[in-house]
């Protein structure tokens, strides 16, 4: 049971795993029971995940009251905390699956004998005593009331709340066949007096119950497979940690580790919590979080993330976040919430499902009356069988599973690919996007300046100019200076001390290095010092046109050369933009940078529409303009300084951070710093929505065609009737087919990488 505060309403959100749900109608029953409680703001019960999410006012309602309402509705709440909750849910699912399997095999054994005894014309060699209606009644009774008891319990729970569901259909339909057969067994003379042969249909009721249980068993197994992503994420969590306490190393269960503990991690082990390295160094595989295949070097002061893998050396770190606060725990929580949410497309299915069962019961009653009044002899038999067939084939399970199973698999597939989708609404909206807006700095570009070009004047060499410039710049704190120093370090140049250092505000720097007077700065500074850089004029103009900043270097009053510094385009930006264009999307870049630099970056990224020199509030207005023009907009930013724009967009996509702010601000968070994920998220959404539409289509078509056939519309023309046993097999097959179609999403290849 998970509980969290809702920041906007100050209400409490309670996440409850529920046992005993058998169909979409069960979810509706629980929703109705909970919505009737004072203090409940919203309820979402997901049949596919068997979870209820309730937002309520804690000053009016207590969690215990919510649990009581669920229990009184005929269902159970699965208790546990943290990993215990996952274990409890898994145990409950396995117990339910095991019970279904046992009941199915028992039902199959009884039904097989009943079917043989009811069909002497097919099995004339079987002993005659098997044909006795009294024996068939005795065999059918445990199937009806022991193996089929779950249908009666479900129907009663629904009836208490003024509803009817799939359990109602099965209970009423099979009870009608069973009671008719029992009456024919007890009072055959009464039936014969009315000109009706006292046939029994114990095989119909028993086989229907067995086949429906078989469908539920397959459904339970298939639904378990839809949550594979959660299982994989949970499996990443280490079970123990080696903690230093009172000077001794001890192995503790991960739930006993607290913030501030000193933990030792050896080569090959998973890091048990989030924290800061305090001793040692190593290379850590963070691919499960960032998607980066190369191990990341870690040393004193570096952050480490729980569940990532220590590859080489040993190190010690101090825990900063444990349990439900770790990055992995937040990811698991987001995926669970997404899988438990409803997509807007499901609202249609929910509305139809609410009216569906009463309509079906009405059609079944009309079918019974029509066959009883107008049908051929024996009219009562035809009326009964067609009544049962309509009740059984109209099961709304496929309708209830159509959306949530696809959302579960789609969001799980996204999580496996480092794409965290907040919920069904975000998933659906991403597939309807028509325009993608990119922030520039840190999104399309690397977010930090680097030296891209270096030109020198004789007799200076490139190493001379770079070494002298870096020796001066390392005293500075300017970002451009950091880029120069980093370039020198990459070239393994030995720097010299800078003396007589002086910062020239708005112009540059000067200092003495190795007894040489070095001046570094912009073009204005060089003009003031009457240092001629005319020989570099064309190159300076060309690089400036590309959005690069020239940094001039003079030595002993002479022009030595200049460096071009720029925030460069990420390696994957151009290919990612081209992939989005292939998906038919309009691409826009928004930035606070100057127009010349912005247009240069946009050209290299393949983007034609650029709006520059914007404040954060201006970005929001630009997105509104696109929306007012009828476009559905996705905003791609870093999730922190672009938060207003991310919130305004129809879908906010945060790139490669994994921070708290990014996860909370964005509808979709890409855990790796890879723009290919934008196209992959949109493509995944489109495929998921396509799957949902396929599921809904087949669920609707199945019922639209099946109900009239079961009612007997083909009989006057072709003499065809739908046997109730075949109807039950078709009903089970429809639910399994919907889940299986959703599971195909697990095999989807999400486009070429950028």
């Amino acid at each position: 049971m998970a509980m969290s505060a809702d920041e906007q309403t100050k209400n409490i959100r309670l996440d409850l795993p529920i046992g005993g749900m058998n169909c979409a109608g069960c979810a509706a029953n629980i929703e109705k029971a909970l919505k009737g409680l004072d203090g409940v703001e919203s309820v979402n019960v997901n049949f596919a995940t068997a979870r209820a999410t309730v937002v309520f006012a804690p000053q009016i309602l207590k969690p215990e009251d919510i649990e009581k309402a669920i229990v009184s509705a005929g269902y159970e709440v699965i208790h546990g905390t943290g990993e215990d909750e996952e274990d409890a849910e898994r145990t409950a699912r396995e117990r339910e699956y095991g019970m279904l399997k046992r009941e199915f095999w028992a039902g199959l054994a009884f039904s097989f004998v009943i079917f043989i005894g009811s069909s002497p014309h097919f099995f004339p060699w079987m002993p005659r005593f098997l044909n006795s209606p009294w024996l068939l009644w005795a065999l059918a009774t445990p199937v009806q009331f022991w193996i089929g008891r779950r249908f009666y319990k479900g129907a009663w729970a629904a009836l208490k709340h003024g509803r009817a569901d799939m359990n109602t259909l099965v209970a009423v339909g099979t009870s009608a066949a069973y009671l008719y057969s029992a009456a024919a067994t007890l009072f055959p003379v009464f039936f014969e007096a009315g000109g009706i042969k006292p046939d029994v249909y114990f095989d119909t009721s028993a086989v229907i119950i067995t086949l429906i249980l078989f469908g539920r068993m397959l459904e339970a197994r298939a639904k378990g497979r839809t949550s594979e992503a959660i299982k994989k994420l949970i499996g990443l969590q280490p079970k123990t940690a080696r903690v230093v306490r009172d000077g001794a190393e001890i192995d503790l269960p991960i739930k006993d580790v607290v913030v501030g503990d000193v933990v030792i991690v050896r080569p090959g082990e998973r890091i048990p919590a989030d924290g800061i390295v305090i001793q040692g160094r190593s290379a850590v595989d963070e691919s499960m979080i960032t998607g980066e295949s190369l191990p990341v070097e870690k040393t004193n002061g570096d952050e480490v993330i729980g569940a990532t893998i220590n590859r080489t050396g040993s190190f010690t770190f101090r825990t900063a976040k444990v349990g439900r606060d770790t990055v992995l725990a937040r990811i698991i929580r987001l995926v669970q919430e997404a899988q438990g949410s409803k997509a807007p497309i499901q609202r249609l299915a929910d509305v139809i499902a609410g009216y569906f069962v009463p309509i079906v019961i009405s059609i079944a009653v009309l079918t019974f009356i029509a066959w009883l009044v107008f049908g051929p002899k024996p009219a009562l038999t035809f009326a009964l069988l067609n009544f049962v067939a309509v009740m059984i084939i109209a099961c709304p399970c496929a309708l209830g599973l159509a959306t949530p199973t696809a959302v579960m698999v789609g969001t799980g597939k996204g999580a496996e690919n480092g794409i965290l989708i907040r919920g069904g609404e975000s998933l659906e909206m991403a597939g309807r996007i028509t325009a993608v807006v990119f922030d520039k700095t840190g999104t399309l570009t690397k977010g930090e300046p680097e030296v891209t070009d270096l030109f020198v004047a004789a007799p200076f060499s490139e190493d001379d100019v770079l070494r002298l410039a870096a020796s001066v710049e390392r005293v500075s704190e300017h970002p451009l200076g950091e880029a120069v120093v980093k370039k020198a370090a990459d070239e393994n140049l030995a720097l010299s001390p800078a003396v007589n250092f002086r910062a020239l505000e708005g112009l540059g720097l000067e200092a003495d290095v190795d007894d040489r007077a070095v001046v570094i700065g912009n073009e204005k500074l060089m003009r003031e010092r009457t240092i001629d850089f005319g020989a570099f004029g064309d190159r300076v103009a060309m690089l400036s046109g590309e959005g690069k900043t020239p940094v001039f270097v003079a030595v002993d009053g002479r022009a030595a050369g200049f460096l071009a510094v720029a925030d460069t385009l990420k390696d994957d930006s151009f290919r990612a933009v081209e992939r989005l264009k292939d998906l038919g999307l309009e691409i826009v870049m928004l930035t606070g940078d100057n127009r010349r630099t912005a247009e240069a970056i946009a050209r290299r990224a393949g983007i034609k529409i650029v709006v520059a020199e914007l404040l954060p509030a201006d970005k929001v207005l630009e997105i509104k303009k696109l929306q007012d023009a009828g476009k559905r907009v996705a905003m791609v930013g870093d999730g922190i300084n672009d938060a207003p724009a991310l919130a305004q967009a129809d879908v906010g996509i945060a790139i490669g951070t994994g921070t708290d702010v990014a996860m909370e601000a964005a509808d979709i968070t890409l855990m790796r710093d890879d723009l290919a994920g934008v196209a992959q998220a949109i493509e995944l959404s489109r495929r998921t929505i396509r799957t949902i539409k396929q599921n809904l289509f087949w669920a609707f078509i199945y019922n639209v065609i099946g109900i009239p056939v079961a009612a007997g519309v083909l009989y006057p023309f072709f003499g065809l009737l739908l046997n109730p046993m075949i109807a039950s097999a078709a009903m089970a097959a429809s639910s399994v087919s919907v889940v299986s179609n959703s599971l195909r999403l697990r095999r989807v290849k999400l486009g070429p990488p950028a």
Side-chain angles (χ1 to χ4, degrees):
M1 177 175 65
M3 191 161 58
S4 60
D6 187 303
E7 290 299 328
Q8 292 181 330
T9 63
K10 301 304 180 185
N11 285 345
I12 297 295
R13 185 176 65 198
L14 190 63
D15 199 26
L16 294 168
I18 296 177
M21 286 204 296
N22 297 312
C23 68
C26 295
N29 291 339
I30 296 170
E31 282 194 0
K32 184 175 182 181
L34 294 178
K35 285 178 179 176
L37 298 175
D38 289 336
V40 169
E41 180 186 296
S42 65
V43 180
N44 175 26
V45 181
N46 191 303
F47 170 45
T49 59
R51 298 180 79 87
T53 301
V54 188
V55 177
F56 66 98
Q59 63 271 26
I60 300 175
L61 197 62
K62 295 180 180 179
E64 295 78 18
D65 300 325
I66 294 172
E67 291 189 32
K68 285 179 184 176
I70 293 172
V71 172
S72 67
Y75 306 91
E76 65 171 319
V77 177
I78 300 170
H79 288 281
T81 56
E83 285 189 36
D84 293 337
E85 181 179 298
E86 300 298 336
D87 291 339
E89 285 185 69
R90 182 166 55 251
T91 300
R93 284 195 301 266
E94 291 171 354
R95 184 174 65 245
E96 176 68 11
Y97 177 67
M99 187 181 299
L100 283 168
K101 190 157 65 169
R102 287 192 299 273
E103 291 177 357
F104 163 69
W105 284 112
L108 184 63
F110 280 110
S111 299
F112 179 72
V113 178
I114 295 169
F115 182 73
I116 289 175
S118 302
S119 310
H121 47 291
F122 290 134
F123 308 100
W125 60 87
M126 298 301 294
R128 294 295 299 272
F129 76 88
L130 290 177
N131 306 139
S132 167
W134 293 93
L135 175 63
L136 298 177
W137 187 11
L139 292 172
T141 299
V143 177
Q144 187 73 34
F145 298 109
W146 172 56
I147 296 172
R149 68 191 182 283
R150 62 178 63 236
F151 301 113
Y152 289 104
K153 288 172 64 178
W156 174 244
L159 183 62
K160 285 195 299 183
H161 291 90
R163 296 181 62 90
D165 60 13
M166 179 257 184
N167 293 297
T168 309
L169 299 181
V170 177
V172 173
T174 59
S175 295
Y178 175 86
L179 294 173
Y180 174 90
S181 302
T185 302
L186 285 170
F187 310 109
V189 176
F190 172 79
F191 284 83
E192 289 169 351
I196 301 172
K197 185 180 177 182
D199 289 326
V200 295
Y201 297 96
F202 292 118
D203 58 330
T204 298
S205 62
V207 171
I208 285 172
I209 287 172
T210 301
L211 284 173
I212 292 174
L213 282 177
F214 179 62
R216 285 195 178 176
M217 184 182 74
L218 295 179
E219 193 179 285
R221 188 173 69 176
K223 280 165 59 181
R225 292 169 58 202
T226 61
S227 58
E228 284 297 318
I230 290 288
K231 292 178 185 175
K232 288 179 182 177
L233 287 169
I234 292 171
L236 294 173
Q237 295 174 317
K239 301 298 182 187
T240 61
R242 173 155 292 194
V243 179
V244 179
R245 287 189 181 172
D246 299 324
E249 296 180 12
I250 55 174
D251 288 326
L252 291 178
I254 193 68
K255 61 183 175 57
D256 293 336
V257 177
V258 298
V259 173
D261 269 339
V262 174
V263 180
I264 297 173
V265 185
R266 293 165 295 194
E269 292 182 339
R270 287 192 183 273
I271 298 169
D274 298 357
I276 306 294
V277 176
I278 58 176
Q279 184 179 349
R281 62 184 305 125
S282 182
V284 176
D285 179 357
E286 296 184 340
S287 58
M288 53 80 64
I289 294 291
T290 65
E292 175 57 56
S293 58
L294 295 177
V296 181
E297 293 293 328
K298 299 290 183 180
T299 188
N300 288 5
D302 289 338
E303 293 184 3
V304 290
I305 301 172
T308 55
I309 301 172
N310 181 30
R311 287 298 185 195
T312 54
S314 296
F315 65 88
T316 302
F317 76 97
R318 192 179 304 280
T319 58
K321 293 180 180 178
V322 298
R324 295 181 61 83
D325 296 325
T326 63
V327 170
L328 178 64
R330 292 201 309 275
I331 292 172
I332 292 172
R333 198 154 57 246
L334 280 171
V335 175
Q336 284 177 328
E337 289 171 5
Q339 291 190 340
S341 65
K342 289 183 180 180
I345 197 171
Q346 189 173 343
R347 292 173 190 150
L348 173 63
D350 287 347
V351 170
I352 292 175
Y355 295 100
F356 188 75
V357 174
I359 291 173
V360 167
I361 293 175
S362 301
I363 293 173
V365 171
L366 291 173
T367 298
F368 181 86
I369 294 170
W371 277 94
L372 191 62
V373 175
F374 303 109
K377 292 183 179 181
L380 181 59
T381 299
F382 279 111
L384 173 71
L385 292 177
N386 290 319
F387 170 82
V388 174
V390 170
M391 294 287 281
I392 297 305
I393 203 167
C395 165
C397 268
L399 194 61
L401 288 168
T403 299
T405 53
V407 169
M408 282 180 71
V409 179
T411 52
K413 180 71 177 178
E416 290 175 11
N417 287 270
I419 302 167
L420 296 183
I421 303 168
R422 288 194 67 85
E425 188 165 356
S426 301
L427 181 67
E428 182 174 336
M429 182 53 71
R432 297 177 175 176
I433 291 302
T434 57
V436 178
V437 174
F438 283 99
D439 172 52
K440 179 183 77 71
T441 305
T443 302
L444 288 167
T445 66
K446 295 178 181 178
E448 56 184 31
E450 63 180 44
V451 176
T452 59
D453 303 273
L454 173 58
F455 296 95
V456 297
F460 298 97
S461 68
E462 290 187 357
D463 284 355
D464 287 337
V465 173
L466 183 57
R467 186 182 67 82
L468 291 170
S471 295
V472 177
E473 291 284 12
R474 73 170 169 177
V475 187
S476 166
E477 296 179 352
H478 196 282
L480 296 184
E482 292 177 7
V484 175
V485 174
K486 184 177 183 299
K487 178 68 173 176
D490 292 342
E491 299 294 332
N492 296 316
L493 299 179
L495 305 186
S496 300
V499 297
N500 300 323
F501 175 85
R502 191 159 68 101
L504 308 171
E505 187 174 353
L507 298 172
L509 311 168
E510 65 178 352
D512 294 333
V513 180
D514 296 336
D515 298 324
R516 308 186 77 173
V518 181
V519 178
I520 304 171
N522 56 25
E523 194 171 7
K524 181 179 180 182
L525 175 61
M526 297 305 152
R527 283 200 303 268
E528 286 185 2
R529 298 295 176 91
T530 64
I531 300 172
D532 183 13
F533 276 85
F536 296 104
D538 292 341
R539 290 173 181 170
V540 170
M542 179 188 70
L543 293 173
S544 296
E546 294 176 2
K548 298 178 181 179
T549 302
V551 178
F552 298 95
V553 182
V555 179
D556 295 330
R558 296 174 53 194
F562 80 96
L563 307 95
V565 180
D567 180 8
T568 58
L569 199 68
K570 290 179 181 176
D571 296 335
D572 61 351
S573 293
F574 177 78
R575 290 190 295 275
V577 168
E578 289 301 303
R579 175 65 184 145
L580 290 169
K581 289 179 180 177
D582 291 341
L583 293 175
L585 300 167
E586 180 180 320
I587 313 299
V588 179
M589 187 180 86
L590 303 181
T591 180
D593 212 338
N594 66 75
R595 174 162 295 280
R596 186 176 64 179
T597 300
E599 289 179 345
I601 290 292
R603 279 196 304 272
R604 288 156 59 196
I607 299 174
K608 294 182 179 178
I609 305 174
V610 186
V611 185
E613 300 174 359
L614 298 174
L615 297 172
D618 297 329
K619 292 182 181 180
V620 173
L621 294 176
E622 291 297 327
I623 290 174
K624 283 183 178 178
K625 286 180 185 177
L626 291 169
Q627 292 170 328
D628 291 342
K631 301 184 188 301
R632 288 183 288 273
V633 182
M635 170 68 191
V636 186
D638 64 11
I640 299 173
N641 57 7
D642 290 313
L646 287 168
Q648 175 61 40
D650 297 287
V651 176
I653 303 177
I655 288 285
T657 57
T659 62
D660 291 341
V661 177
M663 289 185 184
E664 294 303 322
D667 299 297
I668 298 174
T669 300
L670 306 182
M671 294 304 296
R672 55 192 179 207
D673 195 8
D674 181 357
L675 288 177
V678 179
Q680 290 176 342
I682 292 172
E683 186 178 1
L684 175 63
S685 170
R686 290 182 177 181
R687 290 185 182 231
T688 303
I689 297 306
R690 189 185 313 152
T691 299
I692 291 173
K693 289 179 178 178
Q694 291 169 353
N695 288 348
L696 289 173
F697 172 80
W698 288 113
F700 281 126
I701 288 298
Y702 164 81
N703 285 305
V704 167
I705 295 175
I707 291 174
V709 171
V713 296
L714 297 181
Y715 186 80
F717 308 102
F718 306 105
L720 295 177
L721 287 175
L722 186 64
N723 187 299
M725 290 183 282
I726 296 175
S728 63
M731 181 272 290
S734 71
S735 295
V736 174
S737 66
V738 162
V739 178
S740 300
N741 188 46
S742 296
L743 287 170
R744 291 192 308 119
L745 285 167
R746 292 171 60 190
R747 300 192 295 272
V748 166
K749 301 293 183 184
L750 294 179

